Amino acid sequence: MATLKDIAEKAGVSMMTVSRALNGEQNKVSNETAEKIRLLAEELGYIPNSSARSLAARSSRIIAVILRDTDTGNPLTDPYNAFFLGRVIQLLQREGYYIMIHFVRDFSEITFGLRSWNAEGAVFLGLFDDEIRQIRQNNRIPLIFTDSYSNVRQISNVGIDDYKGGCLAARFFLSHGHTRLAFCAPLSGKSGVITERLRGFSDTLKENGITLSREQICNISLSSAREILVGLKRSPAPPTGLFASSDHIAWQLYKAAGELSLSIPEDLSVIGFDDLPLGQTLVPGLTTIRQDIDLKAERTCEILLRRLSQSKGTSETQILDVELIPRASVKDLR
Amino acid sequence: MATLKDIAEKAGVSMMTVSRALNGEQNKVSNETAEKIRLLAEELGYIPNSSARSLAARSSRIIAVILRDTDTGNPLTDPYNAFFLGRVIQLLQREGYYIMIHFVRDFSEITFGLRSWNAEGAVFLGLFDDEIRQIRQNNRIPLIFTDSYSNVRQISNVGIDDYKGGCLAARFFLSHGHTRLAFCAPLSGKSGVITERLRGFSDTLKENGITLSREQICNISLSSAREILVGLKRSPAPPTGLFASSDHIAWQLYKAAGELSLSIPEDLSVIGFDDLPLGQTLVPGLTTIRQDIDLKAERTCEILLRRLSQSKGTSETQILDVELIPRASVKDLR
DNA sequence: CTGAAAGCGCTTACAG
DNA sequence: CTGAAAGCGCTTACAG
């Protein structure tokens, strides 16, 4: 392993000159010696030691991506996380950063992971709202959250218009003649994302004189999709349309419907959220609220890079638009 | 940021004693002082500086996971990669390792990534057969490849029985009365995995007196699924069954079949490979060759950890079994 | 444009 | 069981 020192000796100059030449500090080394040094480095297969650089310069070029670990499977089992993470890695790597991944269960692990390697920034995937204040306080580097509804000011956040997504779903149902509706989501985690989707949905219904009762807001982390469908169908006025908080949950509803010999959209219409490839494989094709995951990843990286280059970066928030993708899972009742 | 030195001063001992106490070197520090030091570290929120440790001890506890970058989308867009990577991160993190991800296009990037951070080991996802010799030569740390068919001895590799997978598909078709068959795969990359799946498939057919002609081996990286189906259907004796080299390709065939108003399995039977969740969302359910991705990730980590702990680890290869999961995409012609 | 000195925060290797 | 010294491979800050 060649070091700066080795090169310096062979070149007959000091380590500092080598360091400057290799780090491309223009006009600080004569072109002549710079060229000689670069050739020598190439020849010796010199690879800078990032640990040493990190230690001396306090600049690691490491970005941490932090995902909340899950109990079932792993976080990358969720296609949303996988797509987003993959794109973030591509973009940051292109800018010369190294990516370290941390799956965390407890927020104390976050500070450890970031400090231990002197990370220069971090991207968060998953629900951290309750801990954001603490995380921010412990780590004075650019932190970019995604889908956060924390009320902490001064955080950078990239999200989508979840409320509008809920509105779009409601309007689509209404415009197709549906008036008896229900919402289905994992409600146990007090996620802002889900709260807003529901709020947009129920507000729009309310504007049209329809109130969502408690029985029409189904918690799929408590009951299975099958139990939910059975319960809804048994009710006095069973819903004709179901708004699922994600495509993945819509899929579970499809499966349960199949088991119960309910036909979609004949017996039950469904709208999902995300527009994952999954929605196109389902039969009938899933009508869903689309979010642009690649764009979200790009915006996240842009903000991060900007805050990394300006030492006194101010926080920034971006909320991306959503749109409804009509396919075949909603029946026209008119 | 508290350092060892800070703790040493407060404790009235040397840095070495603090280092030993915190690294849990039993019987090298009196219990009394060790306890005092641990409390102090806790109190000061001490977080060891991994760069410094890496530099001094030449042990980074970093494992690199290297994926081949893709031109379309990103590597984690492929559910197989995402599932595998997620599990590997979970398992290695549990053992106290840090995970750095590298998407590479050129193999020269590999050595740079590994050496720069002094990685202790690496896991490879994707096709690296042609470069394995060079990679091994440049990096004398445990390297675990997956799905490799390189003829280089002494590499550690975790794969599956691709040949058997091909046999199982052929036998299933035969036992359901199919005799006119075709194989569909991205054939441009000379991947050992695909070669073996095809070999198992065609060998089994040959044993039963059926030869796969050139036209029955379709390259989906040259023609679209639709073009392939059109071509096959137009042939004098169109195949009744198609073996796809992955579930993802099977899905493309499903879509193309839909566009051409071909019904699966009535007009065409299909068998996939991998058994991704996708296969269950398709209608009809996809009959496929299942590989256990979680188990594969676990075996990969086991081998890696073993080689990391024994300094003179010998290379190890594990080939996992596959099985056929019958669903509804193959028609019984008998 | 170039270099000598000091130091980043740890551990190794030796001495006691 | 404990510590003083040296060094890992770089960069910062200063001097010329």
Side-chain angles (χ1 to χ4, degrees):
Chain A
M1 289 293 319
T3 66
L4 279 194
K5 203 172 160 193
D6 298 334
I7 299 177
E9 280 168 8
K10 299 229 180 197
V13 296
S14 74
M15 273 171 59
M16 269 320 297
T17 303
V18 179
S19 171
R20 285 192 269 243
L22 260 27
N23 289 320
E25 300 195 33
Q26 303 293 357
N27 307 333
K28 295 209 168 175
V29 183
S30 76
N31 282 328
E32 196 181 1
T33 55
E35 191 52 29
K36 181 168 74 178
I37 287 167
R38 272 192 284 268
L39 277 170
L40 222 40
E42 173 85 7
E43 193 180 306
L44 296 174
Y46 173 70
I47 294 175
N49 183 323
S50 292
S51 291
R53 173 179 290 172
S54 173
L55 188 60
R58 284 125 202 299
S59 137
S60 63
R61 295 201 77 78
I62 289 177
I63 302 296
V65 182
I66 296 174
L67 296 100
R68 195 168 281 286
D69 205 353
T70 47
D71 288 317
T72 59
N74 69 64
L76 299 187
T77 268
D78 179 339
Y80 171 85
N81 285 341
F83 289 8
F84 187 92
L85 174 62
R87 187 78 185 118
V88 164
I89 294 176
Q90 267 187 341
L91 294 169
L92 294 180
Q93 205 172 256
R94 198 170 289 168
E95 301 294 325
Y97 288 95
Y98 298 93
I99 317 297
M100 222 174 230
I101 312 286
H102 300 274
F103 291 172
V104 304
R105 305 196 90 91
D106 188 273
F107 96 104
S108 64
E109 303 166 32
I110 296 173
T111 301
F112 193 96
L114 295 181
R115 291 267 191 85
S116 170
W117 282 105
N118 188 24
E120 296 190 16
V123 172
F124 291 79
L125 263 172
L127 187 58
F128 291 95
D129 287 5
D130 292 343
E131 298 129 334
I132 280 189
R133 180 164 276 121
Q134 192 76 37
I135 296 172
R136 247 183 66 77
Q137 194 173 317
N138 293 345
N139 300 285
R140 312 221 151 274
I141 54 175
L143 307 174
I144 319 292
F145 293 87
T146 57
D147 292 315
S148 167
Y149 279 93
S150 156
N151 54 12
V152 177
R153 298 289 149 233
Q154 307 277 15
I155 67 160
S156 288
N157 181 37
V158 178
I160 58 167
D161 196 339
D162 295 291
Y163 184 85
K164 177 177 171 188
C167 298
L168 290 176
R171 267 188 239 135
F172 194 79
F173 273 134
L174 293 170
S175 70
H176 284 66
H178 293 260
T179 53
R180 297 200 310 276
L181 298 162
F183 177 72
C184 185
L187 294 167
S188 310
K190 57 200 157 126
S191 135
V193 164
I194 286 175
T195 309
E196 288 303 300
R197 290 177 192 180
L198 171 56
R199 214 163 59 77
F201 190 63
S202 75
D203 281 4
T204 305
L205 294 180
K206 216 169 278 167
E207 287 164 15
N208 288 271
I210 299 171
T211 319
L212 230 42
S213 70
R214 282 190 70 137
E215 295 73 41
Q216 286 159 345
I217 298 173
C218 310
N219 186 347
I220 198 167
S221 34
L222 286 183
S223 334
S224 70
R226 189 188 178 126
E227 287 163 354
I228 287 171
L229 288 192
V230 169
L232 289 173
K233 280 296 166 186
R234 204 184 276 151
S235 65
T240 58
L242 234 60
F243 178 34
S245 65
S246 73
D247 286 356
H248 193 258
I249 284 169
W251 174 35
Q252 293 179 36
L253 294 171
Y254 267 62
K255 281 197 292 192
E259 291 166 22
L260 300 168
S261 301
L262 293 170
S263 151
I264 297 172
E266 279 312 312
D267 303 320
L268 189 66
S269 295
V270 177
I271 296 181
F273 208 114
D274 283 342
D275 195 29
L276 299 176
L278 156 72
Q280 298 176 48
T281 70
L282 293 174
V283 177
L286 179 65
T287 296
T288 193
I289 310 297
R290 171 174 169 74
Q291 64 167 314
D292 190 333
I293 302 179
D294 273 353
L295 182 62
K296 210 165 160 185
E298 281 152 26
R299 289 292 159 77
T300 301
C301 293
E302 280 167 25
I303 296 180
L304 178 61
L305 293 169
R306 212 175 293 138
R307 296 205 38 205
L308 245 20
S309 61
Q310 316 159 343
S311 59
K312 21 190 62 235
T314 57
S315 67
E316 224 178 301
T317 286
Q318 292 215 14
I319 303 305
L320 305 181
D321 201 11
V322 295
E323 58 178 327
L324 186 138
I325 306 290
R327 284 197 274 257
S329 61
V330 175
K331 185 180 180 185
D332 196 340
L333 297 179
R334 293 161 312 174
Chain B
M1 289 294 318
T3 66
L4 279 194
K5 202 172 161 193
D6 299 334
I7 299 177
E9 280 168 9
K10 299 228 181 196
V13 296
S14 75
M15 271 171 58
M16 268 321 296
T17 302
V18 179
S19 172
R20 284 192 269 246
L22 259 27
N23 289 320
E25 299 193 34
Q26 302 295 354
N27 307 332
K28 295 208 168 176
V29 184
S30 76
N31 282 329
E32 196 181 2
T33 54
E35 191 51 30
K36 182 169 73 179
I37 288 167
R38 272 193 282 270
L39 278 170
L40 223 40
E42 172 84 7
E43 192 180 307
L44 296 173
Y46 173 70
I47 294 177
N49 183 321
S50 292
S51 292
R53 173 179 289 173
S54 173
L55 189 60
R58 284 123 202 299
S59 136
S60 64
R61 295 201 76 81
I62 288 177
I63 302 295
V65 181
I66 296 174
L67 296 101
R68 193 167 286 283
D69 205 353
T70 48
D71 289 316
T72 58
N74 68 63
L76 299 187
T77 267
D78 177 341
Y80 171 85
N81 286 341
F83 288 8
F84 188 92
L85 174 62
R87 188 76 185 122
V88 164
I89 295 176
Q90 267 186 341
L91 294 170
L92 293 180
Q93 205 172 255
R94 199 170 291 167
E95 300 296 323
Y97 287 95
Y98 298 93
I99 317 297
M100 221 172 230
I101 312 286
H102 300 274
F103 290 172
V104 304
R105 305 196 90 90
D106 188 274
F107 96 104
S108 64
E109 302 166 33
I110 297 172
T111 301
F112 193 96
L114 295 182
R115 290 265 192 86
S116 169
W117 283 103
N118 188 23
E120 296 190 15
V123 172
F124 290 80
L125 261 173
L127 187 59
F128 292 94
D129 286 4
D130 292 343
E131 297 129 333
I132 280 190
R133 180 164 278 120
Q134 194 75 39
I135 296 171
R136 246 182 67 75
Q137 195 173 316
N138 293 345
N139 300 285
R140 312 218 150 277
I141 54 175
L143 308 174
I144 319 292
F145 293 87
T146 57
D147 293 314
S148 166
Y149 279 93
S150 155
N151 54 11
V152 177
R153 298 288 149 233
Q154 306 279 16
I155 68 160
S156 289
N157 181 36
V158 178
I160 59 166
D161 196 340
D162 295 290
Y163 184 85
K164 178 178 172 187
C167 299
L168 291 176
R171 267 188 240 135
F172 195 78
F173 274 134
L174 293 171
S175 71
H176 285 67
H178 293 259
T179 53
R180 299 201 310 276
L181 297 163
F183 178 71
C184 185
L187 293 168
S188 309
K190 57 198 158 125
S191 135
V193 164
I194 286 174
T195 308
E196 289 302 300
R197 289 176 191 180
L198 171 56
R199 215 165 56 77
F201 190 62
S202 74
D203 281 3
T204 304
L205 293 180
K206 216 169 279 168
E207 285 164 17
N208 289 271
I210 299 170
T211 319
L212 230 44
S213 71
R214 283 189 70 135
E215 296 72 43
Q216 287 159 345
I217 299 174
C218 309
N219 186 348
I220 199 166
S221 33
L222 287 183
S223 334
S224 69
R226 188 186 179 127
E227 288 163 354
I228 287 170
L229 287 192
V230 169
L232 288 173
K233 279 295 165 188
R234 204 184 277 151
S235 65
T240 57
L242 234 61
F243 178 34
S245 66
S246 73
D247 285 356
H248 193 258
I249 285 170
W251 175 35
Q252 294 179 36
L253 295 170
Y254 268 62
K255 280 198 292 191
E259 290 165 24
L260 300 168
S261 301
L262 292 172
S263 151
I264 297 173
E266 279 313 312
D267 305 320
L268 189 67
S269 295
V270 176
I271 296 182
F273 208 116
D274 282 345
D275 195 28
L276 299 175
L278 155 71
Q280 298 175 50
T281 71
L282 293 174
V283 178
L286 179 65
T287 296
T288 193
I289 310 297
R290 170 175 170 75
Q291 65 165 314
D292 190 334
I293 302 179
D294 273 354
L295 182 62
K296 210 165 161 185
E298 282 153 25
R299 289 293 159 77
T300 301
C301 293
E302 280 166 24
I303 295 180
L304 177 61
L305 293 169
R306 213 175 292 138
R307 297 206 37 206
L308 246 19
S309 61
Q310 315 158 344
S311 58
K312 22 188 62 228
T314 58
S315 67
E316 224 178 302
T317 287
Q318 293 216 13
I319 303 304
L320 304 182
D321 202 9
V322 295
E323 59 177 326
L324 187 140
I325 307 290
R327 284 198 272 256
S329 62
V330 175
K331 186 181 180 187
D332 197 339
L333 298 179
R334 294 160 313 176

